Amino acid sequence: MNKRYPLTIKPYFIIGRYIATPVLIVLVVFFSTLTGYAEASKKSPNRIKNITYTHTVKNEEITILLEKEISYQACFLDHNPKQKLPYRLYLDLHDTTLDTKVNKADIPSSSAIKRIRIAQKNNTTTRVVLDIKNKIFREDYKIIQSKNQKAIIIEIENKKAKQNDKARLVKELVLSEKHPQKILGGTSDLCTVVIDPGHGGKDPGATGYQKTREKDVCLSLGLKLQEHINSKKGYKAILTRNSDIFLSLDERGIIANKNNADIFISLHANSHENTKITGIETYYLSFASDEEARKVAARENFTTTSKISDLEMIFFDLLQNNKINQSSILAGYVHNAMVNKISDKYHEKIRNLGIKHAPMRVLINTEMPCILIETAFISNPKEAKKLKSLAFQNTLSASIFNGIENFKSARETAFNKTAP
Ligand SMILES: [Zn+2]
């Protein structure tokens, strides 16, 4: 825009220019200083005002209140037994410095949270860590930011309350006799054990010292274990295979389910490129998350997850949890019996590799407590020889059966105690 002014006004403009310019400079300096202050105050670090704890029947809540708006990053960490670190949920609060005087909430002993820790991670980040007593899944907690962005609320679901809800719903379902009570820890007079000798047929499994094949030692072991189990009144053992045939992993579980088994045991031999490695380990099934269990439910009973009603979902969820809990207990009894008996018999300390959990496919379809035993290392000359010897097979099967008996009697005691 180019507007021409009449001549008469021009002098005022000239004078105005001489006065206005310094004023303008002053103003610019003044405002830029103000903005500078604003910038500086924006950059001064945020601080935690306090951390509070509240709880309701369904939830526990940790609120982190800050002086200013906050941006943060949250992360969940698995437990680390070696370093004695529990499950952890942590928040990195950006542009925040640690105030040592921050008021930290007292956590009651009944809480799912063990304690709260605060540390200065680096110059600009403060980390707030919640040590969690037991594993929680992603859907068990929520992190919400307040509207004014100055508070972060961590909401942890009370699992006990949720469990009670589930237990009530399951009880109703069981009473409708839609599902067998056996899975929930009931007992029957006859205990059926399905033994699954790993691999077979076109799948030899691992090949070890002097070409010892895993499928062969698993079959011999399985046959021996069947003998032990069948010799005792009140027990019946069924093999998924009693010859050198191939079975898919799913078929093995199906055999156990069809036979209404109480216990499923898959027998394997371990292998390692380092032939010096020896030892025994027992696995039970565990999912990485509840989401996984949902997918299994969909595959097992229904065509799509969307067709699964909430109630059936809850029921299956609990069955899975119960199966996993029972399987971990079974793993404990069998594993300890094996380690003790073999150490006694061979007068040497067997390398105890412990009880582990993994998403073992062969254990997914079974509806009863199930474990997978890596009996010894076929790749180690000494253990390969042992695996082939009748004496060792005998001791090992006897100890596995011992563990089964201990598990059964413990379960009966527990069931009788809790039965109405
Ligand atoms: Zn195997």
Side-chain angles (χ1 to χ4, degrees):
M1 207 156 44
N2 197 2
K3 199 173 178 182
R4 293 183 67 93
Y5 294 95
L7 256 177
T8 45
I9 300 171
K10 215 175 172 184
Y12 296 101
F13 254 77
I14 292 162
I15 297 160
R17 227 164 80 184
Y18 286 106
I19 299 166
T21 310
V23 170
L24 202 69
I25 291 167
V26 168
L27 278 177
V28 165
V29 170
F30 175 72
F31 279 114
S32 69
T33 319
L34 260 190
T35 354
Y37 273 127
E39 272 311 306
S41 80
K42 214 180 190 179
K43 274 182 184 161
S44 78
N46 206 340
R47 276 175 203 280
I48 300 172
K49 274 175 138 177
N50 61 35
I51 299 180
T52 56
Y53 171 90
T54 51
H55 72 95
T56 64
V57 182
K58 293 204 164 168
N59 288 320
E60 293 189 74
E61 260 179 39
I62 296 287
T63 305
I64 305 167
L65 188 66
L66 292 119
E67 284 177 353
K68 291 183 279 186
E69 291 172 18
I70 183 76
S71 78
Y72 69 94
Q73 199 176 356
C75 190
F76 180 73
L77 287 173
D78 211 347
H79 76 319
N80 184 336
K82 268 188 193 160
Q83 289 179 15
K84 290 187 177 158
L85 291 169
Y87 296 99
R88 284 146 292 157
L89 182 64
Y90 73 76
L91 264 71
D92 277 344
L93 310 174
H94 301 145
D95 301 317
T96 306
T97 49
L98 178 64
D99 190 339
T100 45
K101 281 176 272 170
V102 61
N103 213 343
K104 237 185 342 175
D106 284 329
I107 308 294
S109 59
S110 58
S111 169
I113 304 155
K114 200 172 164 191
R115 60 177 176 155
I116 304 172
R117 294 180 283 133
I118 313 172
Q120 191 68 39
K121 192 192 160 202
N122 55 40
N123 284 345
T124 54
T125 311
T126 298
R127 179 170 285 185
V128 178
V129 188
L130 306 190
D131 284 348
I132 313 284
K133 285 176 189 161
N134 297 306
K135 185 168 178 107
I136 54 169
F137 295 99
R138 187 60 197 91
E139 57 265 43
D140 296 332
Y141 64 89
K142 253 188 254 168
I143 301 172
I144 313 152
Q145 195 157 10
S146 65
K147 260 189 188 166
N148 67 6
Q149 312 263 296
K150 288 182 182 174
I152 305 166
I153 302 129
I154 307 157
E155 218 179 83
I156 300 176
E157 194 171 38
N158 183 342
K159 275 197 171 176
K160 271 184 195 158
K162 197 179 167 189
Q163 214 62 30
N164 287 342
D165 271 0
K166 278 185 183 180
R168 185 179 51 76
L169 290 167
V170 166
K171 209 172 172 189
E172 282 166 12
L173 266 176
V174 170
L175 285 176
S176 75
E177 290 181 356
K178 239 175 125 182
H179 296 269
Q181 200 171 6
K182 186 181 218 168
I183 302 161
L184 292 166
T187 56
S188 67
D189 290 339
L190 185 69
C191 179
T192 307
V193 181
V194 165
I195 306 160
D196 171 48
H199 313 277
K202 64 179 183 187
D203 168 23
T207 303
Y209 178 70
Q210 287 184 337
K211 299 215 164 69
T212 312
R213 291 181 305 184
E214 188 185 354
K215 66 171 184 177
D216 299 329
V217 295
C218 290
L219 183 58
S220 315
L221 257 172
L223 289 163
K224 202 92 220 126
L225 180 58
Q226 186 185 35
E227 254 177 55
H228 274 279
I229 295 174
N230 282 344
S231 67
K232 181 102 182 216
K233 204 175 163 247
Y235 286 90
K236 184 175 89 178
I238 295 163
L239 286 159
T240 52
R241 68 177 181 97
N242 58 7
S243 61
D244 188 16
I245 55 154
F246 175 79
L247 283 174
S248 75
L249 294 174
D250 290 345
E251 278 173 309
R252 297 163 194 261
I254 292 166
I255 293 171
N257 295 345
K258 277 195 176 158
N259 282 287
N260 229 347
D262 295 274
I263 287 165
F264 176 84
I265 293 188
S266 193
L267 297 169
H268 289 252
N270 228 333
S271 178
H272 199 278
E273 54 192 19
N274 178 355
T275 57
K276 282 184 184 152
I277 287 178
T278 61
I280 188 163
E281 59 191 16
T282 306
Y283 282 90
Y284 66 92
L285 175 74
S286 187
F287 297 109
S289 73
D290 280 356
E291 187 53 38
E292 202 60 37
R294 264 177 212 120
K295 281 183 203 156
V296 177
R299 202 184 60 223
E300 274 283 281
N301 310 317
F302 310 94
T303 47
T304 60
T305 40
S306 59
K307 284 189 184 170
I308 305 172
S309 75
D310 280 349
L311 200 66
E312 279 160 326
M313 218 37 263
I314 290 164
F315 182 75
F316 186 80
D317 215 354
L318 193 90
L319 281 191
Q320 283 296 318
N321 284 339
N322 192 57
K323 179 181 124 179
I324 290 164
N325 288 342
Q326 291 292 321
S327 300
S328 72
I329 297 167
L330 173 68
Y333 279 110
V334 173
H335 188 78
N336 291 338
M338 288 190 297
V339 170
N340 294 337
K341 198 151 189 161
I342 296 166
S343 303
D344 273 3
K345 188 91 179 176
Y346 287 84
H347 306 294
E348 60 180 358
K349 206 135 181 75
I350 187 171
R351 204 159 156 245
N352 183 353
L353 298 175
I355 299 154
K356 297 176 177 175
H357 56 93
M360 294 282 190
R361 170 108 198 193
V362 73
L363 305 178
I364 288 179
N365 290 322
T366 54
E367 290 165 353
M368 69 292 307
C370 51
I371 54 172
L372 184 150
I373 307 169
E374 293 285 359
T375 50
F377 278 79
I378 204 167
S379 44
N380 175 265
K382 209 173 161 187
E383 292 205 338
K385 275 185 210 162
K386 262 189 191 169
L387 279 169
K388 282 199 283 185
S389 86
L390 262 180
F392 180 77
Q393 287 175 7
N394 216 9
T395 311
L396 189 69
S397 341
S399 65
I400 294 172
F401 182 46
N402 232 233
I404 293 172
E405 283 183 301
N406 295 342
F407 168 74
K408 192 179 179 260
S409 62
R411 200 160 83 147
E412 276 165 5
T413 317
F415 185 71
N416 289 337
K417 266 186 198 160
T418 54

